[in-house]
Amino acid sequence: MERRRGILPKMAREWEKFELAPETRRTVIALFWFLAGIVSVLSLFGFAGRVGEWLNPRLFLGFGFGAYVLPFIVALVAVSRLDPGWFPFTRGRYVGLFLAIVSGLALLHVPAGPEEGLALADEGGGGGYAGWAVSYWLRAAVGGPATVLALVVL
C-alpha cells in the first residue's frame, strides 16, 4: 500500500476517525466556508465584534480592495463544496480561481508605481500586500506594459 504524505492526507485520516458519510463531511466543510464568508462580510461593515475588529484591517492589508470580493469567492467555494453537482470544483478550477484572484489583486496595484505600491499596500489600498508582491516582482521581471498584458491574460 502506498504511503500518503503531507498535511492533507493526515487531515483526511483524521476525518475518517469520525466515520462520517461523505455527504455529511462535505456539508460540514461547506458550513465552515459559509461561516468564514459571513464573518468576513460582517467584519467589513463593523458588525462582527472583536473578531471583526481584528479581521478587518488584516483583510485590507492582505487583499486591499479585493477584501470586498473575497467573501463572495468564499461563498462560491462553499456552494461548490455543498453541491458538487451544481458547480463541480476540480483542482484545476481551484488553481484557476487562485490565479484569477492573484492577477486581479495585482491589476489593482499596477497603476501605482513601484515606489508608491508598497505605501498603497500599507494603507490597505490597491490589491493589498498580495497584489503588491505580484505586481512588483512581475514588473521587475518583464516591465510595465508586459505586466499588464500578463495579468489580463491570467
Side-chain angles (χ1 to χ4, degrees):
M1 183 171 162
E2 183 179 327
R3 185 177 157 199
R4 297 188 281 180
R5 298 174 187 240
I7 186 91
L8 292 179
K10 182 179 179 184
M11 290 171 54
R13 287 191 303 272
E14 294 295 324
W15 274 104
E16 291 169 0
K17 289 180 184 177
F18 290 112
E19 297 179 9
L20 294 175
E23 298 84 23
T24 307
R25 187 177 323 156
R26 196 170 42 242
T27 303
V28 168
I29 292 170
L31 288 175
F32 279 118
W33 279 103
F34 273 123
L35 179 65
I38 289 170
V39 169
S40 341
V41 167
L42 292 175
S43 73
L44 291 175
F45 297 107
F47 296 120
R50 288 189 178 183
V51 172
E53 291 173 8
W54 179 85
L55 185 62
N56 191 21
R58 283 155 182 82
L59 283 174
F60 279 102
L61 285 175
F63 304 106
F65 296 125
Y68 291 113
V69 179
L70 186 68
F72 298 108
I73 294 170
V74 169
L76 175 70
V77 170
V79 168
S80 75
R81 299 296 303 167
L82 193 58
D83 187 9
W86 177 74
F87 191 73
F89 252 76
T90 60
R91 285 188 179 147
R93 286 197 176 166
Y94 279 116
V95 169
L97 180 63
F98 174 76
L99 289 175
I101 292 168
V102 167
S103 65
L105 294 174
L107 276 171
L108 288 172
H109 233 84
V110 165
E115 295 79 28
E116 301 89 23
L118 186 57
L120 184 63
D122 286 335
E123 297 169 0
Y129 286 122
W132 169 78
V134 172
S135 67
Y136 178 81
W137 290 108
L138 195 57
R139 184 179 292 158
V142 297
T147 297
V148 173
L149 181 65
L151 293 173
V152 167
V153 168
L154 280 178

